[in-house]
Amino acid sequence: MNDQCVFCKIINKQIPSNMVHEDEHVIVFADIAPQAPTHLLIVPKVHIPDLNELTEEHAFVLGHISMVAKELAARLGLAETGWRLVINCGADAGQTVFHLHVHLLGGRPLAGQMA
Ligand code: AMP
Ligand code: ZN
C-alpha cells in the first residue's frame, strides 16, 4: 500500500471503481477514460511502481494476469474477435499511474495502432 497511489486506494476501496473481477492477487476495473469499447485495467494488489521494479518474487503475478485476461476476454466475447494487453513503462511509454497495471483492450479493430 502506497498512501499516494490512486490504484492502491481503489484496491482498498477508498475510492470507487467499476470493478469486474477481484481475487487474491489482482483487481480488474474499467478504465476511467476508455480507448476502446472494452478497456479494463488488471492491477496486481501489491504496489509495484512499474516493470523496471519487477523482481522474481513478483513475476508469477504477470502469469496470473494473463490467465485472468484470457478468462475475461472469453467472458466478454472478445476471444473470437481479438484483444490486446498493454503495459506502459515510464515517460516515453506515457505511463501516468505508477502502480503496475495491464490494459485489456478490445471490441474494435486495433491493428495498426497500439491502443
Ligand atoms: P498508464 O498511462 O498506462 O499509466 O494508464 C493509466 C490509466 O489509468 C489511464 O488509462 C487512465 O485513464 C486510468 N485511470 C486513472 N485513474 C483512474 C481511476 N480512478 N479509475 C479508473 N481508471 C483510471
Ligand atoms: Zn499502488
Side-chain angles (χ1 to χ4, degrees):
M1 172 73 186
N2 177 320
D3 289 343
Q4 309 304 315
C5 172
V6 63
F7 287 176
C8 282
K9 288 179 180 168
I10 288 174
I11 290 163
N12 286 304
K13 313 290 194 301
Q14 293 170 275
I15 61 174
S17 72
N18 188 351
M19 187 174 67
V20 299
H21 171 84
E22 182 173 21
D23 63 37
E24 181 183 353
H25 301 297
V26 299
I27 188 169
V28 186
F29 50 90
D31 196 292
I32 204 168
Q35 296 186 35
T38 296
H39 187 171
L40 301 176
L41 300 174
I42 308 174
V43 182
K45 288 188 170 177
V46 61
H47 180 88
I48 308 163
D50 60 30
L51 278 178
N52 289 326
E53 307 296 327
L54 195 73
T55 65
E56 279 294 333
E57 68 176 306
H58 301 134
F60 85 97
V61 176
L62 288 178
H64 181 67
I65 285 171
S66 298
M67 289 304 300
V68 169
K70 182 196 87 166
E71 286 158 15
L72 282 169
R75 196 213 299 178
L76 297 170
L78 300 175
E80 297 286 318
T81 50
W83 49 285
R84 176 178 288 163
L85 296 181
V86 174
I87 303 177
N88 294 318
C89 183
D92 278 0
Q95 186 179 3
T96 57
V97 177
F98 284 82
H99 178 131
L100 182 67
H101 54 279
V102 179
H103 299 256
L104 168 54
L105 298 148
R108 66 166 170 79
L110 300 165
Q113 49 189 342
M114 288 301 293

